[in-house]
Amino acid sequence: MVRQLYGRWRGPLHGYVLRMVGGDYQHAEDIVQETLFRAWRHSDELSPEQAGPWLYTVARNLVVSGYRRRVARATEIPIEPADLPPVADEVDHVLQSWQVAEALRALSADHRSVVIELYYRRRTVTEAAKALGIPPGTVKSRSFYALRALRDALAERGVTES
């Protein structure tokens, strides 16, 4: 009886379900198998020739209930690919940041502290001089030589200006 159901209805049922699930072959196959399994459990009530309406109804209900489960579980808002930053740009940015940090560590402590005050903490020359306890002229001089050393260190690492 089950073999007759399978032989008679598997193909048409699969085509029907395949259209309902948007061409997802594996998902359609799973629905058909579950439908035929349920038919096997009700084999005493079904005849292979007249089981079509029952099988199509069960398959449709399985597709609908599966869709409802997926929608109910969806708690995240999908992000469109256009909303995401390009991966290569992010990777390049991270690598450049890492290389700049490495080059900063190679500077002397005096030069590094001036660069940090001026460029990372965004202080003026006067504010940096006050924070470091050195004259403004010294801040300018150290900044000049620190940036030159930083540019050379980055050039050695292959980081170019963009």
Side-chain angles (χ1 to χ4, degrees):
M1 181 359 226
V2 173
R3 287 179 195 228
Q4 292 171 334
L5 270 175
Y6 186 84
R8 166 71 178 92
W9 294 106
R10 187 213 164 273
L13 196 57
H14 190 266
Y16 171 74
V17 173
L18 192 60
R19 286 186 297 279
M20 290 181 68
V21 297
D24 183 344
Y25 186 86
Q26 187 59 49
H27 186 59
E29 188 65 34
D30 291 343
I31 296 291
V32 170
Q33 291 300 320
E34 179 63 25
T35 302
L36 291 171
F37 175 71
R38 291 181 184 196
W40 173 73
R41 291 193 331 210
H42 292 91
S43 61
D44 55 330
E45 304 165 18
L46 296 171
S47 69
E49 297 79 29
Q50 300 187 354
W54 187 90
L55 292 170
Y56 284 101
T57 301
V58 169
R60 181 186 174 284
N61 289 342
L62 286 170
V63 170
V64 170
S65 65
Y67 172 78
R68 287 181 181 155
R69 269 193 308 275
R70 280 192 307 277
V71 169
R73 275 188 275 156
T75 57
E76 295 181 20
I77 298 172
I79 298 175
E80 295 299 318
D83 297 337
L84 297 173
V87 174
D89 290 347
E90 287 297 313
V91 170
D92 289 343
H93 178 71
V94 169
L95 287 174
Q96 284 179 351
S97 298
W98 174 72
Q99 289 171 329
V100 169
E102 286 292 314
L104 270 173
R105 279 193 275 280
L107 295 177
S108 69
D110 290 338
H111 287 161
R112 184 174 45 250
S113 62
V114 167
V115 170
I116 289 171
E117 292 298 321
L118 293 175
Y119 296 98
Y120 286 95
R121 294 190 178 137
R122 299 196 180 269
R123 293 187 173 161
T124 64
V125 170
T126 306
E127 292 170 339
K130 192 173 188 178
L132 295 171
I134 57 176
T138 305
V139 170
K140 290 178 185 178
S141 174
R142 286 182 184 172
S143 171
F144 174 80
Y145 290 109
L147 291 176
R148 189 167 72 181
L150 192 58
R151 184 174 45 247
D152 292 343
L154 290 172
E156 287 176 12
R157 289 174 170 79
V159 178
T160 58
E161 295 179 32
S162 47

